[in-house]
Amino acid sequence: MKNNDKAEFPVLIFIGAIFSFLGALWIVIAFGTLAEWGTADDGIRGFFATGFGIGSFLFLLGMIFLAYELYKRLSVNSLVKAGNYVYASITEIGRNENVIINGENPYVVVAEYEDPITGEKHVFRS
């Protein structure tokens, strides 16, 4: 079976990298204010707390985006490697009159598969 991987750069990786970088930058700037901590007024202490909070939030959000994308890729790869092929019979080919794409109605393919172990029928619709 042909592998139809799309050559695209996932947006969540891009957003996650930007958020993580900005969060780390805010944290570094906030910790840079610690050098002035002993002689600082309340403004420096407030900036440290705000900068560290914003930086932590952005960094954590970016890491969540990156972890989600990694999890999604790993689960798809494991499914492709360990999955079973299902041979279904095409039962119907028609057009979806409710949707118009580029001035045409897309085709809808309906296939049916019967599990040989349980005898349960599954219907797949494209």
Side-chain angles (χ1 to χ4, degrees):
M1 183 167 198
K2 184 180 173 187
N3 189 2
N4 290 328
D5 287 338
K6 295 180 180 177
E8 64 182 32
F9 188 72
V11 175
L12 284 181
I13 289 178
F14 185 69
I15 293 173
I18 289 175
F19 278 31
S20 297
F21 174 75
L22 289 176
L25 185 65
W26 270 97
I27 291 171
V28 167
I29 291 171
F31 274 109
T33 62
L34 285 180
E36 303 292 329
W37 189 270
T39 62
D41 57 355
D42 289 338
I44 295 291
R45 290 187 179 103
F47 178 77
F48 171 75
T50 304
F52 186 74
I54 290 172
S56 299
F57 176 74
L58 289 175
F59 186 76
L60 183 63
L61 191 63
M63 286 293 123
I64 289 171
F65 286 152
L66 291 173
Y68 174 74
E69 189 63 38
L70 178 67
Y71 171 75
K72 192 169 68 170
R73 284 180 177 224
L74 290 177
S75 64
V76 167
N77 286 341
S78 66
L79 181 62
V80 168
K81 288 179 183 174
N84 296 326
Y85 288 103
V86 174
Y87 297 100
S89 301
I90 296 176
T91 57
E92 181 183 341
I93 298 175
R95 287 185 170 244
N96 187 353
E97 301 292 331
N98 296 327
V99 178
I100 297 175
I101 299 174
N102 294 332
E104 295 187 18
N105 302 99
Y107 284 97
V108 176
V109 178
V110 179
E112 192 173 276
Y113 165 74
E114 183 176 349
D115 191 348
I117 297 174
T118 64
E120 185 178 352
K121 287 190 176 189
H122 301 276
V123 177
F124 303 101
R125 183 178 304 270
S126 68

